[in-house]
Amino acid sequence: MLDIRLIRDDIDAVATALLKRGFTLDVERVRGLEEERKTAQVETQTLQAERNQRSKAIGQAKAAGEDIQPLKDEIAGLGDKLKTISTRLDEIQGELDTLLMSVPNLLHESVPEGKSEDDNVEVRRVGTPLEFSFAAKDHVELGESLGQLDFERAAAIAGSRFTSLRGGLASLQRALTQFMLDTHIEKHGYTEVYVPYLVNRESLKGTGQLPKFEEDLFKIEGESDYYLIPTAEVPVTNLVRDQILESDSLPQRMVTHTPCFRSEAGSYGKDTRGLIRQHQFEKVEMVQIVKPEHSYETLEELTAHAEALLQALELPYRVMTLCAGDTGFAAAKTYDIEVWLPAQNSYREISSCSNFESFQARRLKARWRNPETSKPELVHTVNGSGLAVGRTLLAIMENHQNEDGSINIPAVLQPYMRGKQRLEKDVA
RNA sequence: GGAGAGGUGGCUGAGUGGUCGAAAGCGGCGGUCUUGAAAACCGUUGAAGGGCAACCUUCCGGGGGUUCGAAUCCCUCCCUCUCCGCCA
């Protein structure tokens, strides 16, 4: 959510800035509602002040043993009047809130212009894709011929866009998760957290998934409004909702591994083959709660933390700055890390690292006490995948495959794989 | 699932219809003292919103109600704790 004062002060500047990402702010509607709000609020408060004053006088009269009936008669009707106008105020405020909740974040000045992912800007490219002396297979073919990847069974159990793994591949996914967590904890200074995988509406509003993106989520049927998390960003960031954090407790660096669930509505026909786009996938997520002046250096650091994993796993990748039109609703700036996939002969997203500045914090009422002002101020939130485990798994399969269909296990993962060096078809 | 007790400021915790935004303590900030620090003492210190300002409004788990007036009474939902039962 944007600062309402920013909108009041210079709505045209805000509207212009939002236009950069292709969002049209209904300036006239906001102006109109603000106007009404002001009138209704002043009127409500005036009536409330009068009521308070009169009531106090009645209290005093009663204490003095006087007859209070005449005083009560004097304010007959005031209650109804107040009720009418304050109800109107609530309505206006509600409309304004709804409108404001669906306005995306302002972009950082360094975000390049552009409409779609085609306009994203490459920042750097690390590692060189291997030249295979044979025709590289894709991960579906590799996994199925190993007998360790089975989409059919998963489809029977649940439906399309689900996976089942077996044997070495199942272990490798777990090994990857473990390796990622350990690296962030031991080398990058993160604290591991464990969080709910079902969350309430408030939490999703806080991080910006609701009210706008309901269709992307899986909702649980039942008395309570639970949603399956689309990313650990939701529960982890909500750890600081409604909190006033002490200055010395910042920055908070948190990491967790969770399954993620996405309905993938609107992506029919896209990435239907393989592990790329699933309803359920594993992800390791980094979340940092920081002081505002540090959020951009934090974004760089956190992106580097994700990159470190790809380097250790010997996977070629590139880092992209998302352009204005491709940057997500809540983010002020986003780097996507894209891993090389030989079978697709292209780079595909494996991590997304964003600075949300105070956008999420304002919705969450997540604040810190600034010692200089001794006042609570909004924190900044920064997060990123480190990494999407399922996609990393398929990247390893494709990049580290051999001609015979076996897959080399990167050295850093071998300790997590009971010393195993390659995945091969089980003879047994 | 059954029975009971609770949810109050950054924290602990008093307050059960009227000058209560709320005692007290802790913590924070400022000061006295000290070579410096600690201790002690004095003062100060909730959040959000409106208005150029004086000032005003709202907030005692969420929502609704009663009343001239609600932290306090009523309804409802959520959460926490204790005991019993069941259980990964």
Side-chain angles (χ1 to χ4, degrees):
Chain A
M1 191 157 62
L2 299 180
D3 188 348
I4 180 70
R5 275 170 293 201
L6 196 65
I7 295 175
R8 276 185 205 136
D9 288 351
D10 197 350
I11 190 165
D12 292 319
V14 172
T16 306
L18 288 169
L19 216 52
K20 193 180 168 193
R21 62 152 79 219
F23 182 89
T24 307
L25 181 66
D26 191 341
V27 174
E28 283 318 303
R29 176 128 189 274
V30 175
R31 274 220 182 92
L33 283 170
E34 256 300 302
E35 198 75 17
E36 282 193 77
R37 190 223 92 233
K38 207 166 181 173
T39 315
Q41 182 163 349
V42 168
E43 204 170 327
T44 299
Q45 293 188 354
T46 307
L47 289 172
Q48 284 172 331
E50 184 179 351
R51 179 202 60 194
N52 292 346
Q53 203 183 335
R54 299 270 193 169
S55 294
K56 201 174 266 186
I58 291 176
Q60 285 166 338
K62 197 179 173 190
E66 295 167 22
D67 180 15
I68 60 171
Q69 194 54 45
L71 290 172
K72 284 169 83 168
D73 293 342
E74 272 177 45
I75 48 172
L78 189 138
D80 288 340
K81 225 162 103 188
L82 177 57
K83 181 97 189 168
T84 308
I85 186 68
S86 71
T87 302
R88 179 68 195 131
L89 177 61
D90 289 345
E91 283 168 11
I92 296 162
Q93 200 67 257
E95 278 180 57
L96 215 43
D97 284 347
T98 306
L99 202 148
L100 233 56
M101 284 291 276
S102 61
V103 175
N105 201 359
L106 297 176
L107 297 165
H108 188 253
E109 56 186 10
S110 66
V111 173
E113 295 198 14
K115 287 191 168 65
S116 73
E117 60 179 309
D118 300 330
D119 302 316
N120 294 342
V121 174
E122 184 173 315
V123 181
R124 58 185 163 271
R125 200 177 276 232
V126 179
T128 314
L130 271 182
E131 295 285 339
F132 290 99
S133 59
F134 53 92
K137 300 185 186 81
D138 83 348
H139 68 280
V140 178
E141 200 180 337
L142 287 163
E144 287 181 343
S145 67
L146 284 170
Q148 300 181 5
L149 179 63
D150 194 334
F151 290 102
E152 254 179 59
R153 284 293 83 206
I157 297 163
S160 66
R161 295 201 190 280
F162 287 91
T163 309
S164 68
L165 303 176
R166 177 181 288 264
L169 215 45
S171 292
L172 189 59
Q173 169 159 278
R174 182 165 54 84
L176 266 173
T177 306
Q178 199 81 347
F179 163 69
M180 291 179 191
L181 284 170
D182 284 350
T183 303
H184 293 317
I185 295 163
E186 288 163 17
K187 294 192 176 161
H188 302 152
Y190 287 76
T191 300
E192 184 170 8
V193 295
Y194 173 80
V195 289
Y197 301 160
L198 294 177
V199 296
N200 56 35
R201 290 187 64 86
E202 273 311 298
S203 295
L204 288 156
K205 278 188 195 166
T207 38
Q209 282 77 15
L210 288 180
K212 247 196 157 172
F213 306 102
E214 178 118 32
E215 59 173 24
D216 297 337
L217 302 166
F218 281 114
K219 187 174 183 180
I220 303 296
E221 295 269 342
E223 284 176 44
S224 36
D225 278 342
Y226 286 140
Y227 293 81
L228 285 160
I229 55 170
T231 160
E233 162 190 352
V234 178
V236 175
T237 312
N238 271 276
L239 286 169
V240 297
R241 166 146 56 102
D242 290 320
Q243 303 284 306
I244 298 177
L245 305 166
E246 291 307 324
S247 173
D248 58 15
S249 74
L250 298 176
Q252 285 194 25
R253 298 189 183 90
M254 294 175 282
V255 67
T256 192
H257 154 247
T258 70
C260 303
F261 304 91
R262 297 187 184 175
S263 79
E264 296 299 339
S267 62
Y268 300 108
K270 242 199 224 165
D271 300 315
T272 47
R273 181 176 166 87
L275 287 168
I276 286 272
R277 195 175 298 275
Q278 299 274 290
H279 286 315
Q280 171 184 320
F281 61 95
E282 305 297 303
K283 186 155 63 73
V284 170
E285 182 79 6
M286 302 171 279
V287 175
Q288 292 209 35
I289 311 298
V290 303
K291 296 177 188 174
E293 67 261 37
H294 296 139
S295 64
Y296 278 96
E297 61 190 82
T298 299
L299 176 62
E300 298 299 326
E301 287 165 11
L302 184 138
T303 306
H305 295 156
E307 290 180 62
L309 299 174
L310 289 167
Q311 289 164 21
L313 295 167
E314 301 161 63
L315 295 170
Y317 66 89
R318 62 178 188 180
V319 178
M320 309 290 286
T321 304
L322 297 195
C323 73
D326 205 28
T327 301
F329 177 76
K333 181 176 184 176
T334 299
Y335 290 121
D336 268 10
I337 302 175
E338 298 181 342
V339 70
W340 174 253
L341 295 185
Q344 293 196 4
N345 199 39
S346 66
Y347 287 93
R348 292 301 304 262
E349 179 189 340
I350 197 166
S351 171
S352 191
C353 303
S354 303
N355 183 1
F356 302 91
E357 297 188 9
S358 60
F359 189 86
Q360 292 181 327
R362 188 167 295 108
R363 292 174 167 229
L364 292 162
K365 296 189 185 69
R367 296 167 294 172
W368 67 294
R369 198 172 289 281
N370 185 345
E372 283 174 28
T373 60
S374 76
K375 290 287 178 193
E377 296 174 13
L378 295 170
V379 297
H380 278 194
T381 56
V382 179
N383 71 45
S385 10
L387 305 158
V389 180
R391 288 188 178 181
T392 310
L393 183 69
L394 82 86
I396 287 175
M397 292 168 75
E398 294 193 6
N399 281 282
H400 296 325
Q401 64 177 294
N402 300 305
E403 188 162 14
D404 64 0
S406 64
I407 293 156
N408 300 327
I409 298 170
V412 291
L413 294 182
Q414 290 172 14
Y416 296 97
M417 290 293 288
R418 303 168 291 276
K420 208 175 174 106
Q421 294 180 350
R422 43 166 48 190
L423 291 184
E424 294 167 307
K425 194 177 170 82
D426 284 334
V427 202

